[in-house]
Amino acid sequence: QVQLVESGGGLVQAGGSLRLSCAASGRTFSSYAMHWFRQAPGKEREFVAAISWTGGNTYYADSVKGRFTISRDNAKNTVYLQMNSLKPEDTAVYYCAARSTTWLSSPRAMNFWGKGTLVTVSS
């Protein structure tokens, strides 16, 4: 069992930056591929970024590529999402998710979810 708790959301102006964190419990954190998803009001949950269990491979949605960076610290059981050059369309609740073994971009493939943190980007 893995419990995930996100933090770092808030209100930021367009062009600004935020860093989200996801703290995980459980001794097997390092064996999970970690993901960030987001869900805007009235829209489906969508894939944002993923990182392999070693941290050696990262994957991004086209909409955030070049602006967002996912990273992890297995010693601290934490995954991060650095978000730069934020746009109003990035406004959403951001969720951390874990999947054993390899990463996938489908929300239905995740094993564990956090409760989310709200990011609001004003124009």
Side-chain angles (χ1 to χ4, degrees), residues 3 18 46 62 64 66 84 114:
Q3 292 185 329
L18 279 176
E46 64 174 3
D62 288 343
V64 307
N84 298 329

Side-chain angles (χ1 to χ4, degrees), residues 19-120:
R19 188 194 197 200
L20 305 184
S21 298
C22 173
S25 65
R27 292 173 291 178
T28 59
F29 171 77
S30 61
S31 66
Y32 286 85
M34 298 300 297
H35 305 66
W36 287 98
F37 290 82
R38 66 186 181 186
Q39 188 165 19
K43 294 188 176 182
E44 294 186 352
R45 194 168 297 189
E46 64 174 3
F47 170 76
V48 174
I51 187 166
S52 62
W53 66 274
T54 65
N57 294 291
T58 56
Y59 313 88
Y60 298 93
D62 288 343
S63 59
V64 307
K65 202 171 293 183
R67 300 188 298 123
F68 290 10
T69 302
I70 188 171
S71 61
R72 67 189 296 163
D73 185 337
N74 287 342
K76 295 183 178 179
N77 280 12
T78 301
V79 62
Y80 305 97
L81 185 68
Q82 177 67 43
M83 306 186 296
N84 298 329
S85 302
L86 282 161
K87 305 175 181 179
E89 51 263 44
D90 294 319
T91 295
V93 177
Y94 283 71
Y95 297 91
C96 176
R99 184 176 189 274
S100 60
T101 62
T102 59
W103 79 281
L104 282 176
S105 62
S106 170
R108 289 173 290 183
M110 299 301 108
N111 299 121
F112 303 103
W113 288 92
K115 293 184 178 181
T117 185
L118 177 62
V119 172
T120 303

